[in-house]
Amino acid sequence: MSTPAVLGSKIPIEYASEKLEVDYENSYDGSTELDPVAVGKLRRKIDWHLIPLIAVLYLCSFLDRVNIGNAKVAGITNDISLTASEYNWALSIFFIGYVLFEIPSNILLKLVGPRKWICVIMVFWGGIMMAMAAVKTPAGLLAARFFLGLTESGLFPGSVYLISLWYTRSELALRNGLFFSTATMAGAFGGVLAYGIARMEGVAGLHGWQWIFILEGLPTVLLTVVVYFFLPDFPSTAPFLNAEEKDLAVRRLLIDAGPATETAFSWRQFRAVFVDWKVYMHMITYILNATPLYSLSLFLPSIVQGFKFNALTTQAMTAPAYVIACIFTIIFAFSSDRFRERGIHYAFPTFIGGIGYVLLIVTKNSPTINRYVSLTVTASGVFASVPAMLSWFTTNIGGHTKRGVATAAIISFGNIGGAIGGQIYRAEDAANGYVRGHAVCAGMMFISSILIMVMKYFLIRENKRRDNLTPEAYAKEAAKEEPCDNHPGFRYFS
């Protein structure tokens, strides 16, 4: 990648209230070569300090948002007189609050800093999760789910954005895959945990579903202390890096970004998000993939229960499908970074997920093992598409403000799919194996896989156009103020 805009110049790197000026004239000789041994050591150090903590946080977050499915199997619908329609709205209303606060939350994260902001939202969402054990009416459950979505909204886009500020573009898919794979582990762990907690029915006068909310919300609150002291904000301020490592961390990111190095908050970049066709394409494919993902996560216990298992066995049998999906998620994430490719690693598992939904329809009257294998294929495709999906737009959007706002905008719009997903599987469809819900999700996955390949084609074409620019045309495009990823020296991952 060409880097003419950054070499031989001083570039201010601003993170929240901190500022680090990298003087390339005095500390950098213009070479894009870095010591691979030092880079490898630095990368491993960052991995150990950042990814495990973010992964655990997202595990708690995903567990708290989807455990209502386990609570349903444990009897919440009967105990608070929740109708089938009210249950569906309890699922959907979470994402209304989530979507409303996602962009403001990412802006606050940039201004306040990840560590402090994530601590704040963790206290609130963990507290709300535990308080849900006290709901007595459907209205109380709906209100709690809305505010749970509001407070959780900052973690996922904030984590994706934070990872993009620590790693080069060819390293993002694996790291996003590792942290997102905890969503599949949350499903597996949540099912097994719910199986055990449901046996606490009657303990201290509480129902099993109340204990699910309390015991799965408590770790979030307790982890706040760990996050406050150990979650690093940015490379330039990380306490676990020495001065030389901080300099190397920033330099390698600048070299990788090429011309797209604008870092201070910029209203110009903010506006640029909403006139970029790529942002809208990512929004569309995201919502097409997110709707099946969330509907599967929320209704998987109900789907498995339809395989004629009893309530307790259903909780445990959700785990194997999630474990296999987790393995495939990590494999596709590793491969995407290994081959520096995004489109095929996004489209192929998406297509496989669509095939899985078709298999669920075809095998609705088949033996349980056939139906369970179909479900596992579905889960593997749906979840394995996510690392490339997340890494594609964070990889291809330059400028910190533009990337941060675009990340929140794309994820925010995509998470409307969660609200839609809460309505896809209806109680009246249970008798025929949820054919309608499976058909809707299959159609979304197939359409998404086509659009992904269309976007890949246009990115390849744009890269070729920039490769063939004359010096005059290159200079003209490069002269634009804050071009970010529109700089002619920037190359898109396709």
Side-chain angles (χ1 to χ4, degrees), residues 296-365:
L296 184 66
S297 301
L298 294 167
F299 286 98
L300 194 139
S302 297
I303 294 171
V304 173
Q305 192 171 31
F307 296 171
K308 309 305 180 185
F309 295 118
N310 62 41
L312 283 176
T313 304
T314 293
Q315 303 282 24
M317 286 303 295
T318 60
Y322 276 120
V323 170
I324 294 172
C326 178
I327 293 170
F328 277 99
T329 299
I330 294 174
I331 290 173
F332 272 87
F334 175 82
S335 177
S336 181
D337 274 353
R338 173 68 177 80
F339 294 101
R340 298 173 63 90
E341 198 281 336
R342 299 290 185 258
I344 294 174
H345 286 84
Y346 185 5
F348 181 72
T350 297
F351 184 79
I352 294 299
I355 294 294
Y357 281 112
V358 172
L359 289 174
L360 281 171
I361 296 172
V362 173
T363 62
K364 67 173 184 173
N365 297 317

Side-chain angles (χ1 to χ4, degrees), residues 12-39:
I13 309 300
E14 298 183 10
Y15 300 116
S17 60
E18 302 292 335
K19 183 174 181 179
L20 171 67
E21 187 175 77
V22 181
D23 188 343
Y24 276 84
E25 293 176 353
N26 297 323
S27 65
Y28 187 44
D29 61 6
S31 171
T32 59
E33 295 296 325
L34 297 173
D35 181 2
V37 175
V39 169

